[in-house]
Amino acid sequence: MTYKNTQKLDNNRDMIIPCKKGNLKHVSEFISLKNLDFEGDLSSCQLVYGKTGNRIYLLGLGENKDAVKIEDAFRKLAFDTKKNWNKGIQVSAELLSDEEIKQAVIGLELSNYDIGKFKSEQKKEVELEITFISKNNIANLLKEGQYTGETTNQIKALIDAPANIKTPEYLGEWATKSAKKHQYKCTVLHKDELEKQGFGAVIAVGQGSVNPPVVIVTEYKTKPNAKIDIGLVGKGITFDSGGLSIKPSTNLHYMKSDMGGAAVVLGVVELVAKLKLNVNIVGIVASAENAVDKDSYRPGDVINSYSGKTIEIIDTDAEGRLVLADGLSYLIKQFQPEKIIDLATLTGSVVRTLGFTAAGMFTNNVDMAKTMSSIGFKINERVWQLPLFEDYEADLHSDIADLRNFSGKPIAGAINAAKFLEAFTESHKNWMHLDIAGVSFGDSPYSKMKSASGFGVQLITNYIKSLN
Ligand code: BES
Ligand code: ZN
Ligand code: ZN
């Protein structure tokens, strides 16, 4: 899709007229308000035909409280009806705020996502021109919405891709290509380099797979010689079989999505570069396949980590915290970032706690929690804080190593995982962990099976924007 901004509506062409619930006065400009069976409920739509037979879509945006879901309304309308738009459509933006315009563009762009990338017959994409009608110059908003939507579609494609295609090395190639295209730095540490540099935990998790692990280091800087404002770390398990502590086979195919945190990190760094945000950011992806093999690491093993801490493996299915531990230690040692956020589809426990509605947020920093929470509510990518009380520390105790990767108890799983990560943060004052297991991948109106949601790209990008 391409997006244009003009001042005057062409009454003869197709158009979308967004309507807030109970506020339909502006519609009388185009059609008679009599007998209108449409009230403006969120995502409702009424198609009427104008004088020249042009289509006029009245699109319901609901009440003020629904403003966070405007993206969904536009996405649904475009998904359902764009096959009938003749080369393009106009969107009346007079009554939309800047944020609403951006959300509209993101929604339109998300309607382009094609989940059937591996079908032998590919859908032909029709190039549509979307013209926003506004007296203001909204070109930058349109661009921002378009970039955000495009990048979100790309990270969804990564999450929905099968594990035989998106190996750790594949994620490295994805990042290398993106970095070249959008002018940021990307270094992929391959297996021999990981061994040399002491990424003991990443190596252990990946040693049962024919697809070797990698650590991807992306850097985007606008201020040379200044500190790194923010460092991101993503869990990039391209398939989580559980390892020797093997998972049950029901729904195991969905464990291709266990690199949702990595996808957000890759997406955010790309988007920050596209938007040329004034920030120094480092994005680390710790990627491995957790496979079953003669070489797999075992329950009971003691492994080394980048930090020098030794870890007793109780459960090989608690692998995410291991690769993240190395990612966090590496980030802190090499870059000393001002703020750190890690993202991971880390625990089933967070899904049982918060369902599919909010990510689990862990931090000791009250300001970061407040800011993240408020940003999340505004764009409907919500986070909810869970505690990091000292009381949970005993669960990390190992008799034979510095710590163990699982308490062995079926309680407070998301918190225990977060406490484990905390042990690798060098008590960094501005660290936050987001457990996105319930929100990154799930049911969707646009697919019959579970699929990627795109959760996190806007949340983290907006958080980064709030730092200025
Ligand atoms: N990748 C899973 C967590 C997960 C579960 C993500 C469901 C998405 C949906 C993670 O590696 C895992 O297996 N966690 C275990 C840890 C346990 C063995 C300590 C869990 O949460 O059950
Ligand atoms: Zn696991
Ligand atoms: Zn996992």
Side-chain angles (χ1 to χ4, degrees):
M1 285 178 180
T2 53
Y3 299 87
K4 269 178 45 185
N5 172 199
T6 58
Q7 300 212 345
K8 247 186 90 50
L9 191 80
D10 179 345
N11 273 318
N12 299 317
R13 287 181 52 211
D14 292 352
M15 61 181 88
I16 299 171
I17 312 295
C19 307
K20 300 271 167 81
K21 187 162 180 168
N23 182 4
L24 301 176
K25 264 185 264 147
H26 61 301
V27 172
S28 61
E29 214 181 294
F30 314 99
I31 50 167
S32 152
L33 275 179
K34 267 185 252 151
N35 302 326
L36 204 60
D37 23 333
F38 171 84
E39 288 175 355
D41 284 317
L42 180 68
S43 279
S44 62
C45 175
Q46 165 117 27
L47 169 60
V48 290
Y49 289 94
K51 289 201 182 79
T52 57
N54 57 316
R55 295 176 180 82
I56 302 173
Y57 296 98
L58 305 180
L59 175 62
L61 300 187
E63 302 166 35
N64 283 343
K65 71 169 172 48
D66 298 322
V68 297
K69 293 185 181 149
I70 282 181
E71 176 195 298
D72 293 339
F74 275 88
R75 180 179 176 188
K76 183 172 184 317
L77 175 75
F79 187 84
D80 292 342
T81 67
K82 73 179 169 195
K83 58 182 179 301
N84 300 323
W85 302 355
N86 300 319
K87 294 205 176 117
I89 198 154
Q90 308 172 91
V91 180
S92 165
E94 290 308 341
L95 296 181
L96 299 182
S97 69
D98 283 3
E99 185 55 31
E100 288 169 344
I101 291 171
K102 196 175 118 191
Q103 291 300 322
V105 179
I106 295 173
L108 292 167
E109 203 55 46
L110 292 185
S111 77
N112 281 342
Y113 181 61
D114 174 18
I115 197 161
K117 289 224 161 45
F118 298 91
K119 288 184 187 289
S120 47
E121 227 163 89
Q122 286 294 300
K123 271 193 207 146
K124 266 199 213 104
E125 230 205 82
V126 190
E127 198 44 59
L128 290 171
E129 189 180 88
I130 317 282
T131 311
F132 276 74
I133 315 299
S134 170
K135 302 228 158 46
N136 306 326
N137 182 354
I138 54 169
N140 281 340
L141 279 177
L142 299 181
K143 191 162 271 178
E144 191 177 339
Q146 181 179 10
Y147 287 165
T148 307
E150 282 171 354
T151 297
T152 307
N153 284 339
Q154 286 185 46
I155 78 130
K156 287 170 66 170
L158 275 180
I159 297 173
D160 287 327
N164 60 328
I165 307 271
K166 59 149 183 236
T167 59
E169 291 282 359
Y170 180 97
L171 293 184
E173 280 159 29
W174 189 98
T176 307
K177 273 191 214 142
S178 164
K180 215 176 243 166
K181 189 162 171 204
H182 303 293
Q183 285 144 36
Y184 61 93
K185 188 175 164 194
C186 173
T187 316
V188 180
L189 306 176
H190 299 278
K191 190 169 172 223
D192 48 349
E193 195 57 37
L194 296 178
E195 264 158 11
K196 243 187 258 162
Q197 293 200 34
F199 286 83
V202 177
I203 295 280
V205 172
Q207 73 195 26
S209 172
V210 285
N211 303 309
V214 300
V215 169
I216 305 164
V217 185
T218 57
E219 296 167 63
Y220 171 80
K221 292 185 196 161
T222 49
K223 302 169 281 185
N225 308 323
K227 64 183 179 346
I228 300 296
D229 300 301
I230 186 159
L232 305 176
V233 184
K235 169 178 172 182
I237 300 297
T238 57
F239 187 75
D240 183 10
S241 70
L244 291 177
S245 314
I246 196 164
K247 285 182 183 294
S249 62
T250 310
N251 288 335
L252 190 52
H253 54 288
Y254 288 140
M255 277 300 129
K256 67 177 182 179
S257 65
D258 209 17
M259 33 60 74
V264 174
V265 171
L266 294 175
V268 168
V269 174
E270 177 180 290
L271 184 54
V272 163
K274 275 159 121 175
L275 296 173
K276 299 192 165 54
L277 297 186
N278 186 23
V279 67
N280 284 358
I281 175 172
V282 171
I284 310 259
V285 163
S287 181
E289 180 180 355
N290 190 16
V292 182
D293 184 71
K294 68 179 191 327
D295 292 329
S296 295
Y297 74 138
R298 311 164 194 78
D301 281 2
V302 173
I303 64 167
N304 249 313
S305 65
Y306 189 89
S307 67
K309 288 192 166 115
T310 57
I311 306 164
E312 182 182 8
I313 304 303
I314 304 300
D315 194 311
T316 61
D317 197 11
E319 84 299 336
R321 63 198 75 181
L322 300 173
V323 298
L324 284 176
D326 274 2
L328 285 165
S329 306
Y330 180 81
L331 173 70
I332 292 166
K333 181 159 180 226
Q334 302 298 334
F335 295 99
Q336 300 94 42
E338 191 67 14
K339 292 196 164 60
I340 302 174
I341 300 175
D342 76 70
L343 297 109
T345 50
L346 202 60
T347 66
S349 163
V350 85
V351 189
R352 289 189 291 277
T353 308
L354 298 172
F356 309 109
T357 298
M361 170 173 69
F362 299 85
T363 180
N364 294 309
N365 185 309
V366 178
D367 291 337
M368 278 179 87
K370 269 193 193 147
T371 308
M372 191 63 82
S373 174
S374 122
I375 289 172
F377 271 88
K378 282 190 200 132
I379 50 155
N380 208 30
E381 291 186 9
R382 286 170 294 188
V383 298
W384 197 259
Q385 191 166 15
L386 295 169
L388 285 167
F389 301 139
E390 265 178 30
D391 310 49
Y392 297 103
E393 251 152 49
D395 283 332
L396 300 177
H397 169 84
S398 163
D399 285 338
I400 63 171
D402 295 332
L403 67 176
R404 61 179 170 183
N405 78 332
F406 175 42
S407 66
K409 293 182 234 160
I411 52 168
I415 300 172
N416 276 307
K419 288 303 285 184
F420 182 91
L421 297 180
E422 190 186 28
F424 295 87
T425 60
E426 312 273 342
S427 306
H428 198 290
K429 294 279 172 288
N430 307 327
W431 161 71
M432 174 182 286
H433 158 58
L434 295 175
D435 192 337
I436 59 172
V439 290
S440 167
F441 187 83
D443 292 333
S444 153
Y446 304 99
S447 62
K448 293 215 168 73
M449 289 170 54
K450 290 183 193 289
S451 60
S453 69
F455 183 104
V457 176
Q458 288 186 61
L459 179 72
I460 305 299
T461 308
N462 286 1
Y463 182 81
I464 291 167
K465 283 171 85 180
S466 81
L467 296 177
N468 283 318

